[in-house]
Amino acid sequence: MNKKEVNEIKKNFSDANGFFTVNSILTTYVDPEKNVKCKMLKPYSIIPEDEREVVTETLKKVLTGTIGKHLLEYAFPNEAYEEDAAQKILYDVVSSKMKDEAILEKYIDKIIKNIEYAASFSIITAHCTYSIKRKDKNDEDDIDNISEEFNFIVTGICPVNTADVGLFFDEEHMIISKKTNNEMIISRIPSDGFMYPVFSDRSPDVNHVMYFAKKPDKPNISIVENVLDCTFVMSAQKEKARFQQVLNAVVSDELNYHVITRVNEKIKEVVDLSKSETEPVTINDKQLKHILSEAGVSTQKLEALEPTYKTLVGENGLTASNLAENRIVVATPDVTINIKKDAADKLRTSMIQGRKCLIIDLDDPNILVNGLPANLQ
């Protein structure tokens, strides 16, 4: 799914949309020992409105975030359609419209047995139908022309915790005391989730699944590999780490403040130019070589780029948006300086009286120290 397709489903994920329907909701509560304490399957239409709003809000979060960072699409391996494998189970759940209890039992069992989760959690799954409207010659929705119905499920894995409500006023006994809350509160924001099948070229693609991670630097690999039976790819944090490894290995002693900030500027330009693109743009070894050359890295150093890139990264490109920094951070053991975007040129390095120094150019001589105006001596 590209950005446009994700946005189309998310935009229409609403009770107010006549072309979108949530058919049923399956909620399951699992304790830390992986015991199912509660499981309920309800038609969406009989759920109270305030509860429906919470469920809808939670499940829409699974379609939220940056593609390539929070949202990662995975292809199923061929064996995933074998009996009891993830693709076959998910396909059966969608095809049965969540009306077959035996299929749902297998589906929930697949998640619970294979997920690594340290605490209690809740599994919320909805079966949805989206009536796909054909586009007219102006690429606008033709509301009188429905091409097909897109049936899919969206699942959110939500952490569950008790809340410390602190002191409260007991009006009956006219006292203030500490209240203990033993109720388990299900988070409105899933830590992980997935959507199946994906919405590709405005049609269902049953051979792919979309995985969501609230914290892209801490994805739950067990969901991708053990629940969905897919091969995990690098997280955003891992991509950045590999990128930094490549720079350290290739540029080495030429890696200075100017080179680092110049490389970041060039990558940000790539990201900015691709904002209208539906697919996340990537940077391969050849593009990185060009960027490093423009940043002033010597030809001799660049000769090592391709083999180093292949060893550390492989054949695939790195997602540009995962590499770009919005601000520059210069850190020493004692001092950290945060530099806003477009201000990288205001800091320089220099040798003064035999000492390595950082110099900050001040366009405005007025500075604050601990929030107080300070005079420059």
Side-chain angles (χ1 to χ4, degrees):
M1 289 175 73
N2 58 39
K3 181 166 61 175
K4 185 177 180 180
E5 290 160 342
V6 170
N7 287 340
E8 180 174 349
I9 297 299
K10 185 180 175 183
K11 180 183 70 175
N12 289 293
F13 203 113
S14 168
D15 288 349
N17 191 307
F19 297 92
F20 180 86
T21 306
V22 179
N23 301 304
S24 53
I25 297 290
L26 174 66
T27 53
T28 307
Y29 172 75
V30 184
D31 71 13
E33 287 72 42
K34 293 193 173 184
N35 299 307
V36 176
K37 309 298 288 186
C38 175
K39 184 168 64 177
M40 294 184 295
L41 175 64
K42 295 181 183 179
Y44 184 74
S45 59
I46 70 168
I47 298 175
E49 184 177 353
D50 56 348
E51 186 178 330
R52 290 204 306 264
E53 289 177 358
V54 174
V55 169
T56 301
E57 176 190 341
T58 296
L59 294 177
K60 283 180 72 172
K61 295 292 185 183
V62 178
L63 304 173
T64 302
T66 304
I67 294 178
K69 185 175 290 187
H70 303 88
L71 297 169
L72 294 168
E73 184 173 321
Y74 285 93
F76 290 108
N78 292 333
E79 59 271 18
Y81 200 72
E82 296 175 358
E83 199 65 34
D84 296 330
Q87 185 181 8
K88 179 66 164 63
I89 293 173
L90 292 173
Y91 184 86
D92 289 345
V93 171
V94 175
S95 299
S96 66
K97 299 184 177 181
M98 286 185 20
K99 294 180 179 179
D100 188 310
E101 290 187 11
I103 292 174
L104 289 179
E105 189 72 28
K106 186 182 292 186
Y107 165 72
I108 292 297
D109 193 56
K110 173 76 171 174
I111 295 175
I112 295 173
K113 283 186 176 179
N114 293 283
I115 191 173
E116 292 182 8
Y117 219 90
S120 299
F121 63 95
S122 180
I123 308 167
I124 303 176
T125 299
H127 177 271
C128 310
T129 301
Y130 173 51
S131 298
I132 305 172
K133 303 175 286 297
R134 291 190 184 276
K135 299 289 185 177
D136 59 24
K137 60 183 180 180
N138 297 319
D139 198 35
E140 299 290 337
D141 289 338
D142 184 354
I143 61 175
D144 296 321
N145 195 347
I146 303 298
S147 60
E148 63 177 312
E149 287 190 342
F150 171 50
N151 286 284
F152 66 97
I153 59 169
V154 58
T155 293
I157 311 295
C158 301
V160 180
N161 295 289
T162 56
D164 184 355
V165 296
L167 299 176
F168 81 111
F169 175 62
D170 184 344
E171 190 170 0
E172 180 181 354
H173 300 95
M174 301 298 288
I175 60 172
I176 295 176
S177 63
K178 175 73 170 65
K179 181 177 181 180
T180 301
N181 188 355
N182 295 318
E183 292 183 338
M184 302 300 289
I185 300 174
I186 299 172
S187 172
R188 291 191 179 204
I189 303 177
S191 57
D192 305 88
F194 53 87
M195 172 185 172
Y196 177 83
V198 299
F199 185 60
S200 180
D201 293 328
R202 308 198 76 239
S203 295
D205 177 358
V206 298
N207 294 314
H208 289 80
V209 62
M210 180 72 81
Y211 166 70
F212 161 81
K214 176 188 174 184
K215 297 180 178 179
D217 57 332
K218 296 180 180 179
N220 192 324
I221 300 175
S222 69
I223 295 178
V224 176
E225 295 194 335
N226 304 327
V227 174
L228 301 176
D229 295 339
C230 296
T231 302
F232 179 74
V233 299
M234 280 193 288
S235 65
Q237 187 181 43
K238 183 70 71 67
E239 281 198 306
K240 182 177 290 185
R242 291 291 171 85
F243 171 69
Q244 292 175 342
Q245 287 177 332
V246 171
L247 291 188
N248 275 317
V250 173
V251 185
S252 60
D253 58 336
E254 292 184 17
L255 199 59
N256 56 36
Y257 178 80
H258 171 78
V259 169
I260 294 170
T261 54
R262 184 66 174 154
V263 168
N264 191 60
E265 287 172 6
K266 288 297 179 182
I267 294 176
K268 284 168 62 179
E269 288 176 9
V270 172
V271 174
D272 290 340
L273 289 172
S274 66
K275 283 185 176 179
S276 60
E277 300 292 328
T278 55
E279 301 289 347
V281 66
T282 59
I283 292 177
N284 58 29
D285 57 332
K286 294 180 176 57
Q287 292 165 308
L288 182 56
K289 185 175 183 178
H290 179 70
I291 289 172
L292 292 177
S293 177
E294 287 194 325
V297 178
S298 66
T299 303
Q300 182 181 359
K301 295 287 187 184
L302 293 178
E303 290 176 356
L305 177 60
E306 185 175 348
T308 303
Y309 188 98
K310 292 291 192 294
T311 300
L312 294 174
V313 179
E315 298 295 330
N316 296 325
L318 296 168
T319 308
S321 61
N322 291 342
L323 312 180
E325 301 282 2
N326 290 324
R327 62 174 60 214
I328 305 297
V329 179
V330 180
T332 74
D334 302 312
V335 178
T336 299
I337 303 172
N338 290 284
I339 305 167
K340 293 182 178 180
K341 59 182 180 179
D342 303 326
D345 59 345
K346 296 188 184 302
L347 187 143
R348 293 176 286 119
T349 58
S350 182
M351 291 289 293
I352 301 177
Q353 297 179 353
R355 300 184 66 185
K356 297 177 181 179
C357 298
L358 292 173
I359 301 174
I360 302 174
D361 295 328
L362 298 177
D363 295 334
D364 186 342
N366 297 311
I367 65 171
L368 299 176
V369 178
N370 290 343
L372 297 171
N375 294 322
L376 292 176
Q377 300 297 325

